[in-house]
Amino acid sequence: MNTKTATLIRSALVLGFLTAAFAGQASSYKMVQLKDDAQHQADLPTPQEMKFDDAMNRCVQLTTTATLQAQAACHQAVMHSRYAAGTHGKASRTLKAYAYNNRGVQKLKQQDKVGALADFQMAVELNADEITKHNLSLLVKQLNSSPSAE
C-alpha cells in the first residue's frame, strides 16, 4: 500500500446524510468525505489521486443540493477510484468501496433505489466495513418494509 493511499483512508471523514425517501421516514445514510491532511503534504498526490479526492468531496458536498452536478461528481469518483489507489490491495478496495457507497447515497436522493442497491452491494463486496454494511442493510430493511415490496 502506498503512503498516499494509506493517508486517504486515515483521513476519511464519515458524514451522516439524512434522506426521507421511504414512507416519510428519515433514515441516516453515511457518506465518506476525504479531508486534506496538512502533515502529509510532502507526499505529492498523483493527478489521478487529485481527481479522485476532488470528485469524492464534490459528490458529498453536492448531494444535498445540486442534482445533476452531484450525479456527475459521484460517477466521476467511482471512475477515478479505479486508478487513484492502484488496482490491488485492501486500501484500493476501501477507496473504491467508499466511492460506490457515496454514489449509492446520491442515487437514493434521486429516488433510484435499484441503482443505490447495486452500488451498496458493490461497496460491501469491495470492503465490508461498518459504513458500507450499514447503508446496505438500512436500504434492504426499508425495501422489505415498503408497501410496494408486497
Side-chain angles (χ1 to χ4, degrees):
M1 164 178 13
N2 68 28
T3 306
K4 177 61 178 173
T5 302
T7 301
L8 284 174
I9 293 171
R10 277 194 308 270
S11 64
L13 297 172
V14 179
L15 304 173
F17 179 73
L18 296 178
T19 182
F22 301 96
Q25 198 174 32
S27 301
S28 180
Y29 286 91
K30 296 178 181 179
M31 296 186 85
V32 177
Q33 183 171 3
L34 304 176
K35 67 175 185 171
D36 290 331
D37 195 347
Q39 70 191 41
H40 292 96
Q41 290 302 316
D43 299 327
L44 295 175
T46 66
Q48 292 87 3
E49 290 167 338
M50 288 171 38
K51 289 177 183 176
F52 173 71
D53 292 2
D54 182 51
M56 281 285 284
N57 292 337
R58 281 187 301 116
C59 169
V60 173
Q61 292 164 352
L62 294 172
T63 292
T64 59
T65 57
T67 304
L68 293 176
Q69 291 90 347
Q71 186 176 2
C74 293
H75 181 71
Q76 286 174 352
V78 169
M79 295 299 109
H80 291 307
S81 74
R82 296 177 180 176
Y83 307 104
T87 56
H88 303 292
K90 177 145 177 68
S92 173
R93 293 175 66 83
T94 300
L95 292 178
K96 290 174 189 174
Y98 289 159
Y100 277 101
N101 178 77
N102 286 358
R103 188 171 73 176
V105 173
Q106 190 280 322
K107 286 181 178 180
L108 278 178
K109 180 81 172 170
Q110 300 305 309
Q111 304 299 317
D112 180 2
K113 299 171 198 171
V114 173
L117 181 62
D119 278 349
F120 290 158
Q121 288 172 328
M122 179 59 81
V124 168
E125 184 178 319
L126 288 165
N127 183 45
D129 68 2
E130 180 185 338
I131 297 164
T132 59
K133 289 190 300 186
H134 166 82
N135 285 350
L136 177 60
S137 66
L138 185 58
L139 178 57
V140 167
K141 193 179 301 181
Q142 289 175 334
L143 288 172
N144 287 335
S145 67
S146 72
S148 63
E150 297 175 350

